[in-house]
Amino acid sequence: MTNFQASHKKETKNKTKNPAGRSIMLRWAFANTVFCFITFTIFAALIYQLTVTTYINEEKSSMMQSVSTIENVLSQSETALSLQNLRNFIDFSSSSSTGDLTGDAHDIVAPQSLSSMIGHRKSFFIFGTDKRLLYSTADQTIGFQNAPNNKIVEYQGNVPGFVLERRIVSKKTGQTVGYLQAFYDMSFYHNISRKLLASLSILEILALVIAQIIGYYMASRFMRPLEKLHKEMKSVAKTPDGEFLPIELKTGDEIEELADAYNDMMQKTHNYLEQQRRFVSDVSHELRTPLAVLDGHINLLNRWGKNDPEILNESLEASREEIVRMKGMLEEMLALSRLENVDLDLEKMDCNPAKVLGFTLKNFKLVHEDFDISLDNQLKSDAHAKIYENHYEQGIMILLDNAAKYSPDESKIIHIILSEDEDFIITSVTDHGIGMSEDDMGHIFERFFRADKARNREIGGTGLGLPIISSIVEKYQGEIEVSSELGIGSTFTLKIPKMK
């Protein structure tokens, strides 16, 4: 065994062990899972980022608004902020202080509760002009950070958060009366962020599992028609000479189109094989007699015909006739085979029957000058037939040859009528020959059948002309009709579809 054969055998074995359908199914399911993973990851990242960004922006906006509210109250002070005058602007009844806040009752002018101004999760620190802490809403302070004025910055300490420091300017004097510091605790945000991320991760895992299950189910569902097609292909490959049954798939998609294309291809292949077998069978059957005749004459010449001029001439003439007959038979059989295998092109199927019939008759008359041939053109319009011109000419020539062969010397008359109806171009060829019986008319389109077998040798022919016309009619979805009476003549009517 050569290296190539061994490699080919190994490759075939590997292909058998790894069914294509199962491999495609797994790849399809995996691709679906990867796609869902990427899509859900992008979606989750966008949702996470959008949620976090929206949350932080909302809290920063709330923080700025709270600072502005408190600044608006404290900026009413004309002097620097101190433990004594803060009570005039803020109600500390529920707040904590860094010092002993004292003052007379008449100094309190409509103070506001600090808790009503700062909201949740925010701590505020009020500093004097010397940046010493005067008041705090929290138990712990972070100290003055000297951050840019009115700019929110991140604070990375024991408790992460945002810090905003703003200089408080008196509305009346325009002088700096103190500083306000706001701190937003980000612990809650980080907790929510972690929970959101964990939830999205769990959802993504669940989505992957569900996508894998659904992907495998859908892949197996979609692969079922392909598995059926694959099974039928393997069956045909094992028995290529067996009967071919088309694969019926009703999926309504490209798989059905693939099955239809496969059916068309296999039907043509099956037809080609059948035609090849029939051609070989016909050739072997029909050439047996002329070859036997040739063999007999050659043996006769070998024995004593070389020295007898009469036997020599008779054998040579008979051999020549058999050779001519075999040649004609092979040509007609090849023509019939080519006709059955031809693929029709709609753009080229445009025939002017009157024109083709005109030059066909002209050529026919050159060979059969002793025949009286008439043509009655009854076409009412410039109608065209849906057929190749050479096939229409071939069909007409066969009908004319048949009419000539079966017409006796005293009745060499052929009449042709060219007409039309709603669907067909109709060509009728009538002769006044020997005619046919009803029994013969039932077999005239069979291969190698010839009526009046007693005159076969005298008339000649191969019996393939009318089968060729039958193939033409089948190919172009036309019709062929025949009427005949013994001793009276025959009429063949060829109908070819009209061009619409």
Side-chain angles (χ1 to χ4, degrees):
M1 181 181 295
T2 63
N3 292 336
F4 174 78
Q5 291 174 328
S7 175
H8 180 72
K9 184 176 181 180
K10 182 177 180 181
E11 182 180 355
T12 305
K13 186 177 180 181
N14 290 337
K15 288 182 179 179
T16 305
K17 288 184 177 181
N18 186 21
R22 192 175 303 166
S23 176
I24 292 177
M25 188 185 304
L26 293 176
R27 290 200 298 266
W28 195 344
F30 178 74
N32 180 72
T33 303
V34 172
F35 173 77
C36 291
F37 171 76
I38 295 175
T39 303
F40 192 86
T41 299
I42 295 175
F43 175 77
L46 290 176
I47 291 295
Y48 177 80
Q49 189 63 36
L50 180 63
T51 302
V52 168
T53 302
T54 303
Y55 178 83
I56 291 178
N57 289 338
E58 287 293 328
E59 293 301 327
K60 285 183 177 180
S61 176
S62 175
M63 186 176 179
M64 293 286 289
Q65 186 176 1
S66 298
V67 169
S68 298
T69 301
I70 298 175
E71 180 198 19
N72 186 51
V73 174
L74 298 179
S75 62
Q76 297 177 7
S77 175
E78 297 180 4
T79 60
L81 296 176
S82 63
L83 293 175
Q84 286 72 24
N85 65 1
L86 278 179
R87 190 182 295 274
N88 297 329
F89 308 103
I90 298 177
D91 180 10
F92 297 103
S93 59
S94 59
S95 303
S96 61
S97 171
T98 58
D100 182 17
L101 297 180
T102 60
D104 298 330
H106 65 272
D107 293 332
I108 303 175
V109 181
Q112 298 186 44
S113 172
L114 190 60
S115 60
S116 67
M117 293 184 286
I118 63 176
H120 302 288
R121 292 185 297 278
K122 300 183 185 73
S123 301
F124 283 84
F125 308 93
I126 302 174
F127 295 86
T129 55
D130 57 357
K131 299 181 181 181
R132 292 179 61 186
L133 181 64
L134 299 177
Y135 182 77
S136 169
T137 62
D139 295 334
Q140 297 180 351
T141 63
I142 61 174
F144 197 81
Q145 299 293 312
N146 289 313
N149 185 60
N150 203 34
K151 183 177 180 181
I152 298 177
V153 295
E154 290 189 18
Y155 174 77
Q156 301 295 338
N158 294 331
V159 179
F162 290 133
V163 174
L164 171 64
E165 294 179 344
R166 181 178 295 182
R167 184 164 54 92
I168 302 175
V169 179
S170 175
K171 293 181 178 179
K172 296 181 179 179
T173 64
Q175 299 295 319
T176 300
V177 295
Y179 295 91
L180 178 62
Q181 183 188 71
F183 177 79
Y184 179 76
D185 186 358
M186 293 292 292
S187 299
F188 176 79
Y189 156 75
H190 288 302
N191 187 32
I192 293 295
S193 176
R194 284 192 296 269
K195 290 182 178 180
L196 177 61
L197 188 60
S199 300
L200 290 176
S201 299
I202 294 173
L203 286 177
E204 183 166 15
I205 294 174
L206 291 176
L208 285 178
V209 174
I210 295 173
Q212 180 72 14
I213 296 174
I214 295 177
Y216 190 82
Y217 170 74
M218 295 302 295
S220 62
R221 182 185 179 93
F222 292 149
M223 287 300 299
R224 200 169 297 136
L226 284 178
E227 289 178 352
K228 182 178 179 181
L229 184 61
H230 177 248
K231 181 180 178 181
E232 293 295 333
M233 287 180 175
K234 289 179 66 176
S235 176
V236 171
K238 290 180 180 178
T239 56
D241 295 333
E243 182 181 0
F244 171 69
L245 297 176
I247 301 174
E248 296 292 337
L249 292 179
K250 300 297 181 182
T251 59
D253 53 18
E254 290 82 354
I255 298 179
E256 181 178 347
E257 294 178 0
L258 177 62
D260 292 340
Y262 171 75
N263 289 335
D264 292 341
M265 178 189 69
M266 291 306 301
Q267 191 63 57
K268 289 182 179 179
T269 302
H270 184 74
N271 292 339
Y272 291 158
L273 292 174
E274 183 63 29
Q275 290 163 10
Q276 184 182 30
R277 285 193 292 265
R278 186 166 56 184
F279 180 82
V280 173
S281 176
D282 291 343
V283 169
S284 61
H285 178 270
E286 291 300 317
L287 293 185
R288 187 180 295 115
T289 299
L291 288 175
V293 172
L294 285 174
D295 184 63
H297 282 290
I298 291 173
N299 289 331
L300 180 63
L301 291 175
N302 282 333
R303 290 193 188 103
W304 57 75
K306 297 177 183 179
N307 300 321
D308 189 336
E310 184 178 351
I311 294 178
L312 178 62
N313 290 333
E314 181 182 348
S315 296
L316 290 177
E317 182 63 25
S319 298
R320 189 189 67 81
E321 290 178 0
E322 293 299 329
I323 291 173
V324 171
R325 181 167 172 266
M326 284 192 295
K327 179 181 177 183
M329 182 188 302
L330 288 174
E331 288 178 350
E332 291 191 353
M333 292 174 71
L334 289 172
L336 183 59
S337 179
R338 285 193 295 267
L339 180 63
E340 291 174 342
N341 294 335
V342 69
D343 290 327
L344 300 180
D345 186 352
L346 293 176
E347 295 182 356
K348 297 180 180 178
M349 289 195 300
D350 187 358
C351 172
N352 186 334
K355 177 182 176 182
V356 174
L357 188 56
F359 66 74
T360 302
L361 285 179
K362 183 178 179 180
N363 294 334
F364 186 79
K365 289 178 180 179
L366 293 176
V367 181
H368 301 84
E369 297 178 351
D370 53 341
F371 272 81
D372 181 10
I373 304 173
S374 61
L375 171 62
D376 182 9
N377 188 350
Q378 299 178 3
L379 294 179
K380 299 177 182 179
S381 61
D382 187 22
H384 284 219
K386 192 184 295 183
I387 187 174
Y388 288 170
E389 289 188 352
N390 62 317
H391 288 164
Y392 179 71
E393 179 185 1
Q394 185 180 20
I396 296 300
M397 186 61 74
I398 290 173
L399 293 180
L400 292 175
D401 282 337
N402 270 10
K405 288 176 184 177
Y406 292 96
S407 294
D409 294 339
E410 64 274 10
S411 300
K412 293 188 174 184
I413 300 173
I414 301 176
H415 183 59
I416 304 169
I417 300 177
L418 183 61
S419 60
E420 64 179 306
D421 61 15
E422 186 176 350
D423 300 315
F424 296 101
I425 297 293
I426 305 171
T427 309
S428 298
V429 178
T430 302
D431 64 68
H432 299 277
I434 61 177
M436 292 177 289
S437 65
E438 290 189 8
D439 184 58
D440 284 342
M441 282 192 291
H443 301 280
I444 58 175
F445 294 107
E446 297 176 3
R447 296 189 179 203
F448 305 109
F449 177 84
R450 285 174 289 178
D452 193 6
K453 296 177 178 58
R455 297 183 59 194
N456 279 346
R457 176 65 59 180
E458 178 185 346
I459 294 174
T462 62
L464 290 172
L466 292 180
I468 290 177
I469 290 184
S470 179
S471 294
I472 291 175
V473 167
E474 182 180 356
K475 199 76 174 177
Y476 291 97
Q477 299 179 349
E479 297 177 7
I480 181 69
E481 300 173 355
V482 58
S483 61
S484 183
E485 189 175 348
L486 278 173
I488 301 299
S490 304
T491 298
F492 287 86
T493 303
L494 177 64
K495 295 183 178 180
I496 302 298
K498 290 172 63 174
M499 295 290 293
K500 300 297 184 179

